[in-house]
Amino acid sequence: MEINQSLLDQPPSEEEERLYKELLLQASEMHNMESKEPECNLVQPQPGMCVKTKDLHGNKIFINICQSSEMPSPLDITEEELVQILQSDEPGDYRVPMSLGEAHAEIDKAGKGCTAYDVLISQEFYAKISKSNFFKGFFVTVVYEGIENKFKLAVDRNHEWTILKHRKTMGPLQQHNIRKKSKPRILEMDSIEETADVQIKQTKKLITEVDESHQPSIPEPKYIMMREPIDGQPEFIVVEVQLPNVKTAKSLTLDLGEDRILLKARPNVYLMDVYLPFDIVQDESGAQYNRDNTVLTLTLPVKPT
């Protein structure tokens, strides 16, 4: 195939030059938006309770369970629901967001050296474990696993842990660096045709119908969750949320965790708080709201295993 060199030598027209500059500007703006790393908050924990226990060598361990409004809360469930989850085939489906700080050396009341660990959770979940011994015992077990995995330390599970009565912390609480969750932009589309090019094509869908028996005071929207491909480790999770009472994307607030979707439609129109079967890449996730069919489509890349 021969190329007419005279066409390449012709200078671009003013209209072509203008379109070219616009494309460069759009590409630059998209690159800047995608390259921004989510910021972090330096959080000062509020005192809560101090758990006293031992490791397998008989050394004292103190766990400062502290709280902050900056931490997200886990799914709000009852003791009965937690029992069902723990007895199920996948007990790991229920996760408690927490921040485990570095170990710090302290002196106990006997003047002997000991090690303290600070664990930061949300104020709402702290209130739950304060009222429920069952949730408290469950969370202490979760913290044990976190300490053992992070510090390669074996906690004595047979030693009966206690809550200190006269002090809420062992040593001063350290600040925690909490990573802000990046919020995907919600693009608002006018028609199905406009969204056709950006939605993931599904050749074979696995659709999960959601039927929650426990309904919150704010209605939960209907949604379907799809995975692509259906076999093996998926590359994407696509969630379609029906929002018939939402007029504009400006009324929506979307937060994505590693394995959680929290969607709110103001004022108290809808509330969706669900956990995902796979961890996702929050920074690369996208959201589009179609005003014609009032459907919000979330495209969530799955973290490779």
Side-chain angles (χ1 to χ4, degrees):
M1 176 177 158
E2 295 184 358
I3 299 176
N4 190 338
Q5 187 66 33
S6 63
L7 293 176
L8 299 177
D9 294 337
Q10 292 179 0
S13 64
E14 292 183 1
E15 180 65 17
E16 290 174 336
E17 186 73 20
R18 183 185 65 81
L19 291 175
Y20 178 68
K21 290 181 178 180
E22 286 185 358
L23 288 174
L24 284 179
L25 180 61
Q26 292 176 6
S28 176
E29 290 176 348
M30 290 299 295
H31 175 74
N32 291 335
M33 292 179 61
E34 292 174 356
S35 61
K36 288 182 179 178
E37 292 293 331
E39 298 178 354
C40 295
N41 276 345
L42 199 59
V43 176
Q44 180 61 49
Q46 299 299 314
M49 66 180 71
C50 184
V51 177
K52 177 184 175 182
T53 186
K54 292 183 179 181
D55 63 16
L56 288 179
H57 299 290
N59 301 314
K60 290 182 181 179
I61 296 176
F62 293 90
I63 302 172
N64 297 323
I65 301 178
C66 42
Q67 54 185 316
S68 171
S69 59
E70 300 290 332
M71 287 293 295
S73 298
L75 188 66
D76 188 16
I77 61 175
T78 63
E79 291 185 358
E80 291 75 15
E81 290 171 326
L82 180 57
V83 170
Q84 293 177 0
I85 292 174
L86 296 177
Q87 293 176 347
S88 67
D89 295 333
E90 298 181 355
D93 286 347
Y94 181 69
R95 301 187 181 183
V96 179
M98 67 179 187
S99 174
L100 180 58
E102 295 299 324
H104 50 102
E106 302 294 340
I107 303 296
D108 64 11
K109 66 178 183 178
K112 296 182 179 181
C114 60
T115 305
Y117 302 90
D118 300 343
V119 181
L120 182 62
I121 56 177
S122 70
Q123 291 180 339
E124 292 79 5
F125 189 67
Y126 179 80
K128 179 183 285 288
I129 67 172
S130 298
K131 298 176 182 177
S132 169
N133 288 330
F134 185 74
F135 269 96
K136 187 184 302 176
F138 161 75
F139 182 64
V140 169
T141 302
V142 172
V143 174
Y144 280 1
E145 294 178 355
I147 292 176
E148 290 175 339
N149 291 333
K150 183 174 182 178
F151 301 102
K152 309 304 179 184
L153 172 72
V155 180
D156 187 355
R157 303 296 183 101
N158 295 322
H159 179 77
E160 185 176 356
W161 53 268
T162 57
I163 302 293
L164 299 186
K165 295 181 179 180
H166 303 295
R167 59 189 310 173
K168 296 182 178 180
T169 66
M170 175 60 69
L173 295 178
Q174 301 176 340
Q175 290 183 321
H176 288 240
N177 206 18
I178 305 300
R179 184 175 182 269
K180 290 182 179 178
K181 292 178 292 184
S182 58
K183 296 184 179 181
R185 293 180 303 149
I186 300 178
L187 303 180
E188 190 167 284
M189 301 295 182
D190 292 325
S191 64
I192 298 177
E193 287 75 13
E194 292 183 37
T195 61
D197 293 336
V198 292
Q199 289 186 13
I200 298 174
K201 295 180 180 179
Q202 299 287 331
T203 56
K204 191 176 181 182
K205 298 180 180 179
L206 175 64
I207 301 178
T208 303
E209 296 286 351
V210 175
D211 181 18
E212 301 271 359
S213 59
H214 175 67
Q215 295 293 334
S217 57
I218 304 175
E220 181 184 70
K222 295 181 180 180
Y223 64 91
I224 57 175
M225 191 177 298
M226 301 164 279
R227 52 183 286 178
E228 171 63 29
I230 183 175
D231 298 321
Q233 175 77 5
E235 297 180 7
F236 293 91
I237 295 177
V238 180
V239 183
E240 294 182 353
V241 188
Q242 300 178 24
L243 304 169
N245 296 324
V246 173
K247 304 301 180 183
T248 174
K250 294 180 180 179
S251 64
L252 300 177
T253 301
L254 176 64
D255 286 307
L256 295 178
E258 281 191 344
D259 62 345
R260 184 183 182 186
I261 300 174
L262 181 59
L263 174 67
K264 298 179 182 178
R266 301 182 302 271
N268 294 336
V269 179
Y270 294 113
L271 176 61
M272 176 181 172
D273 187 359
V274 298
Y275 282 82
L276 300 168
F278 300 93
D279 289 345
I280 62 171
V281 184
Q282 300 121 292
D283 298 341
E284 299 178 9
S285 299
Q288 296 169 339
Y289 179 66
N290 188 300
R291 287 187 299 182
D292 283 359
N293 59 11
T294 64
V295 171
L296 176 69
T297 302
L298 308 178
T299 305
L300 313 173
V302 175
K303 281 185 178 180
T305 56

